[in-house]
Amino acid sequence: EAGVAQSPRYKIIEKRQSVAFWCNPISGHATLYWYQQILGQGPKLLIQFQNNGVVDDSQLPKDRFSAERLKGVDSTLKIQPAKLEDSAVYLCATRREGAVSTDTQYFGPGTRLTVL
Amino acid sequence: AQSVAQPEDQVNVAEGNPLTVKCTYSVSGNPYLFWYVQYPNRGLQFLLKYITGDNLVKGSYGFEAEFNKSQTSFHLKKPSALVSDSALYFCAVRGFNDYKLSFGAGTTVTVRA
C-alpha cells in the first residue's frame, strides 16, 4: 500500500510570511497527526485528528498555527505569520484505528521548513 | 505525564559488533513502547513495538528490543551491526488509555566499516 504523502518536501520563507503543508494519509487510516521536529529533538505532537474531528490540539500555537482535515482524508497545516523558531521538519503520521488502539503510527517523509 | 529518556546522544560501533540503543520510560499503567529509525531527509520508519506478551520483541532489519518492567527499560539491540544501520533512532511510549505518543530526543548511531 502507498505510504503517507507530504508536500512540499522543502520550503524556505521569510519571517512573517505564511506557509501551508499538505498531508495525504494511507488509505483508510482514521487517525492523523501533525508533529513538529526541531533539529536535535524528537517529534512533538501539534495536533491529532480522528476522521475530521480534532482529538487534541493542546500543543498547537493557535495564534499562528491552524490545521484542518476536511472530509476526514487529506489534511493541511498552516502557519501565519511564521517566526524564526518555526524552522523545523513538520511530520504527518497516520494510523488505521482510533485514538486508544494499539495500532502503529506511520510517518510521511516530512516537510523541512526554513524561516529566514 | 509520560516521558522517554534516551541517555546516549550517540552510539558508535564497528560493523559486525553488537549494537545496543538504550531507552527508559515513565508512564502511568501499562506501557505501549515503540522504536522508530530516521534516515537523513526521511520520515520516521517503524521498527518494532511492545504491546503485551513476550518481553523480547523482534522487528525489522534484524532488530529486537527487550521490555524490562522492573527497570522501566526498552533497549533496542542488534546482534551484528551493519554500516547501513547508521541513522537516528527514536524510542516512544504511550500509556494504555492514552492516545499521545511521546518521543525521546533520539540517539545517533554510527557504524564504522
Side-chain angles (χ1 to χ4, degrees):
Chain A
E1 61 182 1
V4 178
Q6 289 188 248
S7 67
R9 292 295 311 278
Y10 305 92
K11 190 73 176 179
I12 301 173
I13 62 173
E14 295 187 351
K15 60 182 179 182
R16 291 189 290 274
Q17 286 187 322
S18 62
V19 64
F21 313 127
W22 173 80
C23 173
N24 178 241
I26 296 172
S27 178
H29 279 205
T31 306
L32 185 147
Y33 308 80
W34 283 102
Y35 289 87
Q36 181 191 57
Q37 185 180 15
I38 293 173
L39 186 64
Q41 299 181 18
K44 183 188 81 171
L45 179 68
L46 292 175
I47 188 168
Q48 177 184 350
F49 293 93
Q50 184 165 343
N51 297 313
N52 61 348
V54 175
V55 174
D56 182 1
D57 63 357
S58 59
Q59 298 298 308
L60 189 73
K62 298 181 188 63
D63 57 333
R64 298 183 300 106
F65 286 65
S66 64
E68 61 182 9
R69 191 184 184 197
L70 298 177
K71 301 181 181 179
V73 182
D74 292 3
S75 178
T76 55
L77 176 69
K78 297 179 181 178
I79 307 175
Q80 182 179 10
K83 293 185 176 181
L84 296 177
E85 59 261 36
D86 299 330
S87 294
V89 175
Y90 291 85
L91 296 165
C92 178
T94 70
R95 192 172 68 183
R96 179 177 302 279
E97 296 180 16
V100 293
S101 80
T102 61
D103 205 8
T104 299
Q105 289 185 32
Y106 293 96
F107 285 79
T111 296
R112 182 177 297 276
L113 173 67
T114 302
V115 182
L116 303 175
Chain B
Q2 59 194 31
S3 64
V4 171
Q6 294 183 241
E8 299 161 316
D9 291 338
Q10 293 200 4
V11 170
N12 299 304
V13 298
E15 189 172 35
N17 282 2
L19 170 63
T20 298
V21 186
K22 296 180 180 177
C23 170
T24 59
Y25 67 89
S26 174
V27 70
S28 298
N30 292 326
Y32 295 148
L33 293 153
F34 301 79
W35 275 102
Y36 286 85
V37 60
Q38 186 175 35
Y39 297 99
N41 299 315
R42 303 278 295 275
L44 278 68
Q45 296 180 31
F46 169 73
L47 279 179
L48 51 80
K49 66 182 177 183
Y50 171 81
I51 302 300
T52 187
D54 194 347
N55 289 343
L56 185 63
V57 178
K58 294 188 181 297
S60 306
Y61 313 119
F63 283 94
E64 59 188 28
E66 186 167 12
F67 170 63
N68 187 317
K69 188 172 183 177
S70 63
Q71 297 185 5
T72 61
S73 67
F74 189 56
H75 300 330
L76 181 70
K77 299 180 181 181
K78 187 171 184 179
S80 179
L82 301 172
V83 172
S84 57
D85 294 328
S86 298
L88 182 57
Y89 291 79
F90 289 99
C91 182
V93 68
R94 261 186 55 203
F96 180 75
N97 285 316
D98 204 347
Y99 51 79
K100 189 179 299 185
L101 197 59
S102 296
F103 286 85
T107 298
T108 299
V109 170
T110 302
V111 182
R112 60 185 184 278

